[in-house]
């Protein structure tokens, strides 16, 4: 209803938003892949699948398959190659390194690539102190049950992680879940052959301590001690749980066996192999650095998103609990007042005051007649006048308005050049005859008792404005039902709470009653924002007036019938609300009623109508991530509890408004589709405001819900 600004709305941020979403999803996938799969499996039984060839099963613990034929290697007598799997671990690996350094011993660490990316400094320290690094895959996969491409992928990622963390590659591999040579199954041997084709030397073990079971320090020492002075490859673990027993056993083992003439060294030195730690190429270092950085940032994001998810869930739950509570307080307060019989009206003798109803109209030819007829056909006992303010319409709105003023003596048409809805309302206010003013949109229909119920709270001299109860009339389709639920559950529950807290932010343009003195105290409606109703209401609150909600003053409005029209409407609402909040920000530090309004209303709007909607897409993505990566029962259970709480609040709100509960069946779809659309509207509006662009007025196309011949609003089904 304003002159249309030909400047286009900003669009480039959608590209940034898309790239940000892709980055977010990629980061969560990376951290989910890196950390969800890592861990010990409970069952890896290949007993019925055959065994490895005797050349391997009866051979030494180190197998070279790079040449096609297996070559087994053993360690010399009184030579122990200590090996540690599953690290690095930020707690236990440094303690093990401390013990090795204190005894002047060295070991081989078979590291998991994902943990290398998380703790590169520990890998650097291990190499600096003369230890050796081998691969244990990137996520501790079972290579025996993995396809060749997955094996190559895991081994390649581990090489990149090592290159990025320490600048090396390794040709030494220990397959997860492997142990002694004669326990190697046929599937495990095939996996070892694939590794051999990739140039890896496969390390098994002579002495499997099974320290991960935490059997006790002495049992670990016994399992690690060779018999009769033989050499051995000893398998231990430096991650995957509490490794205090491993650390104690290692210290005692080094002390006891060193006294018996054993030497402790790396696997390649013990078996006289060439060094398996080789310098990485520049390409591997660059890609490895990118991989480790990406994983660390992804882990950080996942952690922060988990915190945000918890905060958002707590705040949303708090709001779900608070709104019905405040609604209950509001109902008990307002329903104590008698609804029938004599009432102490504004004028002497209990006679209701005369009312001026102002209907701003810009291209409202479809529904204007129904709106005006509903206003004229009222049970209000005192005089009313209806002022139709045509704001330079380009359709038949002025023709219809002229016909209506000839038909009804109390209807008057005012024509003015197009200047926007606030200017049209100010024109109507200036020419209105009475001091009680009702402002009505041209797509809204009143019930017969609406005007009387709407102006009734103005009997209190402290009340400057009254918000009515807006209902969606065209609720037959899915989009209409979604908006119907939003109006009843969201808008009206919010208004009940704002009434109790005396911090009403908006008297909707569809239905509102005002005291002329209150309008004059703020200079009428402003053209500085696109949400003139919110701007006006906030100004009235700051001027010291009370603004209340009247549930019985029902108005039926035509809601947008398509997603495109809905987007345009909500985009304007949200952007205008942001403008109004910024305009009235000083209310946060003001004193008296104005400060009370600012400190109660503005933080609530900023938190629940700006911050949480902006975070909601991230929270939703993290919830999906949690279902597939974290504990799905916890995430699904939280969603079910939240949905049940929301449904309970919805049932209460519908019951308060006298609506049927059958509409609740669309709520799950509303959460999946409609809610996401509203979040994007907030994001779009916020970006528009931050960029300083001026949003043009979006005209909503009417479909004629209240055209002649349609059922009366009271007959519209719930």
């Amino acid at each position: 209803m304003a002159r249309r600004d030909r400047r286009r709305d900003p669009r480039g941020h959608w590209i940034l938003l898309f790239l940000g979403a892709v980055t977010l999803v990629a980061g969560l996938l990376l951290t989910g892949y890196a950390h969800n799969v890592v861990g010990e499996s409970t069952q890896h039984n290949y007993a019925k699948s055959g065994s490895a060839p005797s050349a391997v099963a009866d051979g030494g613990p180190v197998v070279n398959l790079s040449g096609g034929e297996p070559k087994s290697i053993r360690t010399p007598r009184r030579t122990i190659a200590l090996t540690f799997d599953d690290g690095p671990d930020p707690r236990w690996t440094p303690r093990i390194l401390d013990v090795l350094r204190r005894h002047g011993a060295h070991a081989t660490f078979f590291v998991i690539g994902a943990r290398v990316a998380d703790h590169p400094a520990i890998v650097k320290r291990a190499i600096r102190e003369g230890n050796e690094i081998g691969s244990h895959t990137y996520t501790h996969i079972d290579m025996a049950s993995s396809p060749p491409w997955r094996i190559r992928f895991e081994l390649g990622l581990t090489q990149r992680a090592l290159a990025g963390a320490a600048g090396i590659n390794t040709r030494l591999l220990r397959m997860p879940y492997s142990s002694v040579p004669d326990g190697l199954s046929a599937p495990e041997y095939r996996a070892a052959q694939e590794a051999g084709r990739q140039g890896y030397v496969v390390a098994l073990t002579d002495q499997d301590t099974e320290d991960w079971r935490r059997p006790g320090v002495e049992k670990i020492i016994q399992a690690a001690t060779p018999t009769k002075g033989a050499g051995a490859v000893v398998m231990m673990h430096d991650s995957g749980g509490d490794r205090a027993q491993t650390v104690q056993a290692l210290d005692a083992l080094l002390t006891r066996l060193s006294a018996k003439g054993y030497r402790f060294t790396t696997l390649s030195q013990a078996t006289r192999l060439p060094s398996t730690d080789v310098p990485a190429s520049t390409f591997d270092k660059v890609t490895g650095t990118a991989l480790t950085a990406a994983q660390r940032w992804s882990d950080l994001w996942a952690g922060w998103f988990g915190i945000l998810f918890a905060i958002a869930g707590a705040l949303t739950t708090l709001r779900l609990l608070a709104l019905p509570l405040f609604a209950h307080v509001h109902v008990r307060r307002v329903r104590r007042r008698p609804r029938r019989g004599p009432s102490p009206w504004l004028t002497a003798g209990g006679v209701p005051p005369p009312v001026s109803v102002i209907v701003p109209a810009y291209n409202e030819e479809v529904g204007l007649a129904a709106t005006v007829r509903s206003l004229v056909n009222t049970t209000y006992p005192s005089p009313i006048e209806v002022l139709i303010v045509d704001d330079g319409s380009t359709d038949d709105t002025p023709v219809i308005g002229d016909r209506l003023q000839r038909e009804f003596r109390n209807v008057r048409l005012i024509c003015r050049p197009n200047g926007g809805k606030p200017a049209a309302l100010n024109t109507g206010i200036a020419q209105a005859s009475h001091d009680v003013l009702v402002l009505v949109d041209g797509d809204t229909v009143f019930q017969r008792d609406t005007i009387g119920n709407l102006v009734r709270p103005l009997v209190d001299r402290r009340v400057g404005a009254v918000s009515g109860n807006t209902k969606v009339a065209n609720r037959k389709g899915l989009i209409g039902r979604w908006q119907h639920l939003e109006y009843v559950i969201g808008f009206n529950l919010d208004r009940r709470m704002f009434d109790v807290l005396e911090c009403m932010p908006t008297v909707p343009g569809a239905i509102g009653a005002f005291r002329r003195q209150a309008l004059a105290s703020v200079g009428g409606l402003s053209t500085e924002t696109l949400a003139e109703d919110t701007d006006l209401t906030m100004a009235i609150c700051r001027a010291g007036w009370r603004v209340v909600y009247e549930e019985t003053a029902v108005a039926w409005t035509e809601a947008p019938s398509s997603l495109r029209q809905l987007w345009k409407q909500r985009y304007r609402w949200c952007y205008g609300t942001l403008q109004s909040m910024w305009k009235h920000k000083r209310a946060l530090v003001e004193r008296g009623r104005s400060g009370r309004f600012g400190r109660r209303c503005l933080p609530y709007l900023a938190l629940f109508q700006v911050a949480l909607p902006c975070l909601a897409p991230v929270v939703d993505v993290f919830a999906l991530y949690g279902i597939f990566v974290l504990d799905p029962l916890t995430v699904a259970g939280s969603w079910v509890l939240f949905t049940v709480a929301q449904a309970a609040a919805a049932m209460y709100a519908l019951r308060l408004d006298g609506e049927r509960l059958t509409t609740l069946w669309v709520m799950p779809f509303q959460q999946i589709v409609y809610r996401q659309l509203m979040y994007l509207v907030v994001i779009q509006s916020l970006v528009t405001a931050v960029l300083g662009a001026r949003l043009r007025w979006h005209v909503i196309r009417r479909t004629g819900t209240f055209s002649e011949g349609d059922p009366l609003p009271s007959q519209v089904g719930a």
Side-chain angles (χ1 to χ4, degrees):
M1 294 175 62
R3 296 185 186 277
R4 284 175 283 184
D5 190 342
R6 293 188 179 183
R7 289 173 291 180
R8 293 179 62 83
D9 302 334
R11 299 297 182 190
H13 68 281
W14 288 117
I15 299 176
L16 296 178
L17 181 63
F18 174 75
L19 293 176
V22 171
T23 302
L24 168 63
V25 172
L28 290 177
L29 289 176
L30 176 59
T31 193
Y33 179 80
H35 299 294
N36 180 52
V37 188
V38 175
E40 298 295 337
S41 176
T42 56
Q43 295 292 332
H44 295 279
N45 185 6
Y46 301 108
K48 298 181 180 180
S49 58
S51 59
S54 58
V56 174
D58 299 334
V62 179
V63 183
N64 188 346
L65 294 167
S66 59
E69 293 296 326
K71 298 179 180 178
S72 294
I73 308 172
R74 297 183 183 273
T75 56
R77 287 181 57 80
R78 297 190 179 277
T79 300
I80 292 181
L82 290 170
T83 63
F84 296 90
D85 292 2
D86 296 349
D89 182 276
R91 180 180 183 185
W92 300 111
T93 306
R95 295 190 184 187
I96 288 173
L97 289 172
D98 290 342
V99 174
L100 293 172
R101 183 175 59 184
R102 188 164 59 248
H103 287 272
H106 299 101
T108 300
F109 290 84
F110 289 98
V111 296
I112 293 173
R115 291 176 180 162
V116 171
D118 286 337
H119 311 291
I122 299 177
V123 178
K124 291 179 182 178
R125 176 190 169 183
I127 295 172
R128 186 172 60 249
E129 294 179 0
N131 299 287
E132 185 176 46
I133 302 297
S135 174
H136 204 45
T137 73
Y138 197 77
T139 61
H140 203 273
I141 65 166
D142 182 3
M143 293 176 60
S145 60
S146 301
W149 70 264
R150 176 72 185 279
I151 295 174
R152 293 192 295 270
F153 181 69
E154 287 272 330
L155 297 180
L157 282 180
T158 305
Q159 296 287 21
R160 299 294 187 274
L162 287 172
I168 67 162
N169 287 145
T170 181
R171 292 304 174 193
L172 196 59
L173 168 69
R174 172 168 285 157
M175 300 187 301
Y177 312 111
S178 64
S179 182
V180 295
D182 60 2
L184 202 66
S185 67
E188 290 172 323
Y189 179 68
R190 287 193 293 270
Q193 286 180 305
E194 178 62 33
R197 286 190 286 271
Q198 302 300 317
Y200 288 91
V201 174
V202 178
L204 301 170
T205 187
D206 292 304
Q207 308 286 140
D208 186 355
T209 63
E210 295 189 349
D211 59 332
W212 55 274
R213 296 181 182 272
R214 286 179 287 182
V217 173
E218 283 301 321
K219 288 189 176 181
I220 294 175
I221 294 173
Q222 292 174 13
T225 303
T227 59
K228 300 179 181 180
V233 175
V234 177
M235 178 192 291
M236 306 176 94
H237 296 79
D238 62 329
S239 184
D242 186 343
R243 294 292 173 254
Q245 292 183 6
T246 301
V247 174
Q248 296 176 40
L250 175 64
D251 191 23
L253 182 70
L254 290 170
T255 300
R256 296 179 190 180
L257 296 189
S258 293
K260 296 180 179 180
Y262 281 85
R263 70 185 185 98
F264 295 86
T265 186
T266 64
L267 189 62
S268 61
Q269 289 176 343
T271 56
R272 298 181 179 87
L273 288 171
S275 176
T276 55
D277 291 350
V278 296
S281 66
T282 302
F283 177 78
D284 283 352
K285 290 179 182 179
V286 172
T287 56
T289 300
L291 173 64
T292 55
Q295 184 174 309
R296 288 199 299 272
W297 277 105
S298 298
D299 293 346
L300 183 63
W301 292 344
W304 278 107
F305 291 154
I307 295 173
L308 291 176
F309 182 81
I311 293 174
L315 289 175
T316 304
T317 302
L318 180 63
R319 181 173 180 267
L320 276 177
L321 296 175
L323 285 178
L325 178 63
F326 279 109
H328 179 69
V329 173
H330 179 265
V331 168
R332 293 191 61 185
R333 176 186 298 177
V334 300
R335 293 186 181 177
R336 288 175 185 166
R337 300 197 302 260
R339 293 296 177 183
R340 301 182 183 276
S343 299
W345 289 94
L346 299 175
T347 56
V351 179
V355 174
S356 295
V357 183
I358 302 170
V359 185
Y362 176 76
N363 291 351
E364 297 285 0
E365 65 177 1
V366 175
L368 180 61
T371 297
V372 173
R373 293 182 189 281
S374 74
L375 297 172
V376 173
N377 186 29
T378 178
T379 58
Y380 191 65
S382 293
I384 69 165
E385 65 171 353
V386 179
L387 304 181
I388 305 171
V389 185
D390 176 66
D391 191 44
S393 298
T394 59
D395 62 0
D396 286 341
T397 296
V399 176
I400 296 173
D402 181 63
R403 187 183 68 199
L404 290 169
Q405 76 172 345
R406 291 198 307 269
E407 181 179 352
F408 301 105
R409 295 180 58 186
N410 59 339
V411 175
R412 180 154 51 105
L413 173 66
I414 303 171
C415 294
R416 51 160 290 131
N418 180 261
K421 184 178 179 181
L425 287 170
N426 284 332
T427 298
I429 292 169
Q431 298 195 31
S433 305
H434 308 305
D435 290 332
V436 175
L437 305 167
V438 174
L439 310 186
V440 184
D441 283 344
D443 60 348
T444 302
V445 169
F446 277 16
Q447 296 184 168
R448 297 191 67 194
D449 61 350
T450 296
I451 294 178
N453 292 333
L454 184 63
V455 302
R456 186 189 299 268
L458 292 174
V459 67
D460 185 345
R461 294 285 180 177
R462 299 171 301 170
V463 176
V466 183
S467 168
N469 183 351
T470 311
K471 291 179 177 291
V472 174
N474 53 327
R475 58 178 77 170
K476 294 181 180 179
L478 192 60
I479 297 176
R481 287 186 172 94
W482 284 339
Q483 292 175 87
H484 164 51
L485 284 179
E486 182 184 28
Y487 272 65
V488 174
I489 300 169
F491 297 163
N492 289 342
L493 277 186
D494 273 343
R495 289 192 181 104
R496 293 178 191 274
M497 180 188 68
F498 290 135
D499 189 341
V500 173
L501 296 178
E502 299 184 11
C503 61
M504 186 78 66
T506 305
V507 172
I511 175 172
F514 297 84
R515 195 187 300 273
R516 183 185 291 274
Q517 184 181 355
L519 292 173
S521 68
V522 298
L525 285 92
S526 170
T527 60
E528 296 177 352
T529 73
L530 287 181
E532 75 290 329
D533 47 5
T534 299
D535 185 8
L536 174 64
T537 308
M538 290 184 175
I540 290 175
C541 288
R542 290 182 66 191
W545 297 93
R546 278 202 63 195
V547 180
V548 300
Y549 171 66
E550 178 53 59
E551 62 178 348
T552 62
V554 177
W556 298 83
T557 188
E558 179 181 339
S561 57
S562 69
L563 289 178
R564 180 179 179 84
Q565 296 297 317
L566 178 63
W567 176 279
K568 288 182 177 181
Q569 182 195 67
R570 298 311 171 85
Y571 186 16
R572 177 176 62 82
W573 285 5
C574 185
Y575 183 80
T577 300
L578 291 173
Q579 290 177 310
S580 301
M581 291 169 62
W582 182 255
K583 178 180 178 181
H584 297 283
K585 60 184 180 296
R586 287 192 58 82
L588 290 168
V589 296
E590 292 174 343
R591 296 182 178 181
R593 187 179 293 274
S594 175
R596 184 163 62 248
F597 160 78
R599 287 183 287 275
R600 292 178 180 179
C601 178
L602 296 183
Y604 178 88
L605 296 179
L607 184 60
F608 290 104
Q609 294 191 17
V610 179
L612 280 183
C614 288
L615 292 176
V618 174
V619 172
D620 289 342
V621 170
F622 187 81
L624 290 175
Y625 165 81
I627 290 176
F628 293 102
V629 175
L630 304 177
D631 183 0
L633 292 179
T634 301
V635 176
S638 300
W639 185 86
V640 169
L641 288 176
F642 174 76
T643 303
V644 169
Q646 211 170 28
M651 292 174 64
Y652 181 62
L654 290 168
R655 189 173 69 84
L656 287 181
D657 263 28
E659 297 283 357
R660 300 175 185 172
L661 302 182
T662 52
T663 315
L664 286 175
W665 71 267
V666 303
M667 180 172 283
F669 302 99
Q670 186 186 43
Q671 300 302 310
I672 297 173
V673 180
Y674 186 80
R675 190 166 59 101
Q676 313 303 323
L677 179 66
M678 295 301 102
Y679 294 159
L680 293 177
V681 167
V682 174
I683 293 172
Q684 168 82 342
S685 303
L686 188 62
V687 171
T688 304
V690 170
L691 293 179
R694 183 170 178 81
L695 179 64
R696 58 188 175 177
W697 188 279
H698 293 304
V699 179
I700 305 301
R701 185 179 297 108
R702 308 301 180 189
T703 59
T705 299
F706 301 122
S707 59
E708 295 187 21
D710 280 357
L712 295 174
S714 59
Q715 297 173 318
V716 177

